[in-house]
Amino acid sequence: MIFDFTAVRENLFPASRGAIEDWEGFPWHRDRTNRIQAYKAHSSQAIAIDVFGALKMSKDRDRIFDAIAERVGVAPGGPWTVTLEWTDTDRLLGESRPTQVDAFAVGSAAALVIECKFTEPGGQCSQTAVSRSGERQCNGNYEDQINPGNGVRSRCALTGKDIRYWEYVLKIFELDPDVDYTPCPFKGDAYQWMRNAVLAAAIGEHRSLQTVALAAFADHPSFPTARKVKRGLMDPGLAGRGAIMPISYQQIVAIACQVGRDRALWNSLAAWIDHKIARAASRK
């Protein structure tokens, strides 16, 4: 079945549409009925494409990503490449289903692992969810326990599946993997931010680049991620809080307006993003 992309195209900033080379093959976010969701005004994937697709296609790309890199504390230096919906095909973390991030930008000295949020919060760990058998693979604490699903004893059900998150957690957050934590320090949506932070660290180690995980978000008081940013994406008791750097879409576009040569383009994108945010906020 060929999907009609008319509504999706209309929901994307015109200068970003060229970033989608294969409309049928692109990894679109879908609902339970397999319907593509990027036609919706509040689509997180669509607003990510608006911004990072426009940056990818722009002649100002290197100038803007250099400025973003300096803003978030990594080395500038192009040429920058941008991949939308990037997947860790090297499986650096040992995941059976490798992490996919909304955008991945790589320069000559640094890489940005970018997770994008609009009106939704971050994702939570699936191991504490009730399975079809009615059991949870993890009790919600980081402590010695047996996963009833596979009979493996470990402090983290994911570690018991040879997933390497805690190898990097030790380095980034200065947590001791041999100490119990009640509850798990990455409960709730802190889990997604941790996962992106450890992926960035693994990429940096593998590619010998400075790396940082970015939380790109729509800044409006009615959106959960924007509210969370004000309080801190991670528990303030954790070290390594700079492992996740929040940056709003408005800040990114303001940087583009400041350093980009095509002022008309970036002013137009700013208006587009402001309109989308206002429209999504009115639904709350």
Side-chain angles (χ1 to χ4, degrees):
M1 178 179 177
I2 298 177
F3 185 81
D4 182 0
F5 285 99
T6 300
V8 174
R9 290 179 186 274
E10 291 176 350
N11 193 39
L12 296 179
F13 184 62
S16 74
R17 296 170 189 165
I20 310 299
E21 297 177 3
D22 178 2
W23 288 75
E24 289 289 343
F26 188 75
W28 298 103
H29 297 178
R30 298 172 183 265
D31 64 15
R32 294 181 179 178
T33 66
N34 205 37
R35 182 175 175 81
I36 292 171
Q37 298 295 288
Y39 73 93
K40 294 183 177 180
H42 63 284
S43 164
S44 177
Q45 185 175 42
I47 198 171
I49 295 170
D50 289 337
V51 174
F52 293 105
L55 290 175
K56 176 177 180 175
M57 302 306 295
S58 171
K59 294 179 180 178
D60 288 333
R61 179 178 58 215
D62 289 348
R63 294 170 60 86
I64 295 169
F65 273 105
D66 275 352
I68 293 173
E70 290 179 334
R71 173 71 172 267
V72 301
V74 294
W80 286 88
T81 62
V82 182
T83 304
L84 302 177
E85 300 298 340
W86 178 84
T87 299
D88 171 29
T89 56
D90 291 320
R91 298 181 183 272
L92 298 175
L93 297 173
E95 300 163 306
S96 57
R97 182 179 179 182
T99 295
Q100 180 172 294
V101 295
D102 297 304
F104 183 53
V106 183
S108 60
L112 310 177
V113 176
I114 307 165
E115 181 68 27
C116 300
K117 297 297 177 188
F118 194 175
T119 63
E120 78 281 18
Q124 301 185 25
C125 181
S126 63
Q127 305 302 294
T128 58
V130 177
S131 67
R132 292 180 181 178
S133 66
E135 298 177 310
R136 302 175 192 272
Q137 297 186 72
C138 173
N139 65 12
N141 300 327
Y142 182 81
E143 63 184 9
D144 187 55
Q145 56 187 292
I146 296 176
N147 181 342
N150 59 15
V152 175
R153 178 184 293 275
S154 62
R155 283 189 168 88
C156 172
L158 296 169
T159 302
K161 297 177 181 180
D162 296 322
I163 295 174
R164 302 175 62 199
Y165 295 166
W166 275 86
E167 290 182 32
Y168 291 96
V169 163
L170 173 62
K171 300 172 186 178
I172 299 170
F173 299 102
E174 298 179 15
L175 295 174
D176 187 337
D178 297 322
V179 171
D180 292 347
Y181 298 97
T182 305
C184 175
F186 305 111
K187 65 178 181 178
D189 59 5
Y191 167 77
Q192 182 166 37
W193 306 123
M194 174 275 290
R195 191 176 65 177
N196 282 274
V198 298
L199 176 60
I203 291 168
E205 185 176 271
H206 181 68
R207 300 195 184 193
S208 298
L209 293 171
Q210 292 184 25
T211 55
V212 65
L214 298 187
F217 67 100
D219 193 3
H220 190 281
S222 67
F223 300 158
T225 298
R227 293 197 299 267
K228 189 72 180 289
V229 166
K230 302 299 188 295
R231 303 191 303 270
L233 286 173
M234 308 296 286
D235 186 320
L238 288 173
R241 282 167 285 181
I244 292 287
M245 295 293 295
I247 185 168
S248 71
Y249 286 122
Q250 294 97 318
Q251 289 172 321
I252 293 169
V253 178
I255 290 171
C257 290
Q258 181 179 9
V259 305
R261 295 186 176 97
D262 193 343
R263 300 297 176 82
L265 171 66
W266 304 120
N267 286 334
S268 179
L269 178 59
W272 179 277
I273 296 301
D274 286 346
H275 175 73
K276 268 198 171 181
I277 291 173
R279 185 178 176 187
S282 70
R283 299 174 64 254
K284 289 291 184 178

